[in-house]
Amino acid sequence: MAAVSGLVRRPLREVTVRDAINQGMDEELERDEKVFLLGEEVAQYDGAYKVSRGLWKKYGDKRIIDTPISEMGFAGIAVGAAMAGLRPICEFMTFNFSMQAIDQVINSAAKTYYMSGGLQSVPIVFRGPNGASAGVAAQHSQCFAAWYGHCPGLKVVSPWNSEDAKGLIKSAIRDNNPVVVLENELMYGVPFEFPPEAQSKDFLIPIGKAKIERQGTHITVVSHSRPVGHCLEAAAVLSKEGVECEVINMRTIRPMDMETIEASVMKTNHLVTVEGGWPQFGVGAEICARIMEGISEKLVLEYSQAVVNIMYLNTYSIKRLKARSGQTTTLNLSCVQFPGCSCCSCHWC
Amino acid sequence: MINTRLMFCFLVLTTLVVIKESVSIHKNRQSFFFLKNYNLNSTFDTCVHSTKRLQRKNAKGQNILSTDTTKEGVKVLNRNKNTDFEKVIDRQITKESNTTLNEILKGVDYKNILVKENYINPRPFVNIDKKKNMSTDFNIYFENNKLEEYILDIPISKEELCMLYEDMFLGRMFENLVAKLYYVKKIKGFVHLYNGQEAISSGEQIPIAVGLGYSILYKKEFNITDNQAINIFNNLTKGNVLDTKGGVENVNVTSNTSGDDDSGSNKENVPDVDVVVCFLGDGTSNIGQFFESLNLSSIYNLPILFIIENNNWAIGMEGSRSSSNDLMNNYNKSMAFNIDTYKVDGNDVLNIYKLAKKKINEIRKRQSGPVLIEAITYRTRGHSLADPDELRISEEKVSWKNRDPITILSSYMKKQNIVQDSYFDDVKKN
């Protein structure tokens, strides 16, 4: 079966993100009969990106449901099922299609607990690939972290590696609130080492805690989802030149873990945020604003630079930062060459 | 001398004119070939489009296509059809033409190409024990009096009648009270009242209340028991948003579960929802979400009952301006999805009650798939209390007041001598 084959095929305990999500969903489907998965091409096609491979053969038609192309319709069905007591996982083929159903996600799912005075909870999970993929053009490359992170009542989660993916999807399914899981299509095929704790059936990652992937002293780099890998590569390059970066993997976007970030910035006095979304009103802008309004009085600010937003960090811009390493600034660097470019990974910046 | 010269000039001019005209006719005949696609032979007199084309003029004022539009001209064209090209073109124009296409299509039986048995349908979640009565129509109109035949066999007791009357009366009183309070500014926000349409909610809620069911309400409606109504009343006056139920907004959610299955399952913790009832208005029956939910409920055979409360007005948009279907015929939308549809008089509680009872029982026993009921009513007040209601003619409003659901039921009860006259006074006091 798919859940086991992931381990058998890779004796070095390297598991791809795809197999990790598959394992997580498989274990939760087995554990609780109320959990079911619905989406486009999840059953007989084994998933549009083969994430739900083998699940239909194991659980059948009642648990793994193919739907027609009506996002608002099946998102509404999922929300209704959650209100009635089941625990659905609603898969969007990409989160760009969730815009068709955004009324159901926000008005029907997120606001119901508040509007009913705590009486009606909606234990639903919306998952799917988010952000840029390889050459899929503007309409299929949007990052929805900022859109969903704005809405109270939702929890928004963004895993990077396979350990993140498995732990977060399990805790999302067990959570009684509506959770949006923003995966990344380009990470599905990337293998990561799986620690032994992650192979247990009760491996959960708490929603609302960030992880420090790499310790450092000179500069804090914060990101979520695929750019975390880029940050770690850049950090490796810079460490040869003597600059130690502290890389933080946010893991959750709402509720955001500001304590980790603040503690790190107190230590280093430098901050860079990296994400795949657009700069204005984005996740990086929110982090910078909170740092500026929060602990900036405790830091020694020699001068504050205007916020310039980043979309795609490369090592050259970090080198520029290093040249100014004597100054204490908070920068959210951006790809200034193409402001407003929807990142289709063309690598121009 | 002068005569001869004149004659000579005259002759020269006429020859020139003749030559010129013959040349022009010959030239323009060649441009007629493309016109043959317009089927000049049979529809020449009635084809406005082609005549207008023919009359188009260029900058100098000359006809671009200087055709002879008289019948004699057409006869001239028809005379010289000896070439094969012209014969072929003629064949394409006449009705007997298109022989090749017709020959191909003769042997094809369209209905049997796509036979459902050949396809693996998405398996429904509910195994329906449908015994389709082939003699009944797919759709039943109240105008043709077929609805009464369909629901003849359902009895109504005196207690049920009284319950219906009291329910509707309570509703009317509640709405009027809310209006009074709004004008005294004790209630804020939007107030959408339901005067004139109480029959639908009473007729549908009571059969649901007998078993479990979820109903999502369109306008602000009251609940059945007095206590709950009083609770809502208190909450409105306090301005306590958190406790109001039966939301004020237009909620149109297909809430249904895939957990309804046959008895004998181990799902003890899952509430066994028998039937779901979804109310909506004629205006929202145009939204895309509605059609998606019809499609999904049809393929999965979900136990859902859609009710369209058709009062023909959505704030200020009349039905003929907003919907492309025939007036007061919104049920057509569900026929496209193979859903059982019914059309009812929304001001007659008894019909609605009997039909709802019958259909909900069938759905509970899983003998029927999704159902849509269209109820024709009228709202006597405006859409909300902020609506001046100037677009509706006063004659229309007056004529519908005669069809008030409460008076219809009370007159029926009086005629059948089911209750005494003092009953109605007692209800008013209590």
Side-chain angles (χ1 to χ4, degrees), chain A residues 25 35-39 42 52 55 63-65 89 91 127:
Chain A
M25 286 203 292
V35 178
F36 70 99
L37 171 68
L38 87 163
V42 289
S52 53
L55 294 177
R63 307 286 296 281
I64 313 289
I65 302 166
I89 307 169
E91 173 171 330
R127 56 160 289 266

Side-chain angles (χ1 to χ4, degrees), chain A residues 61 66 70 73 76 84 104 114, chain B residues 123 242 257 271 289 292 296 300:
Chain A
D61 251 348
D66 265 340
S70 40
Q104 299 288 1
Y114 164 73
Chain B
R123 278 162 229 165
L242 293 176
T257 65
Q289 198 179 353
E292 288 189 5
L296 287 166
Y300 295 141

Side-chain angles (χ1 to χ4, degrees), chain B residues 87-102:
Chain B
K87 281 180 192 169
V88 162
I89 290 170
D90 266 350
R91 226 191 299 144
Q92 285 176 2
I93 294 166
T94 60
K95 283 183 185 177
E96 295 164 354
S97 64
N98 291 335
T99 49
T100 51
L101 197 59
N102 280 338

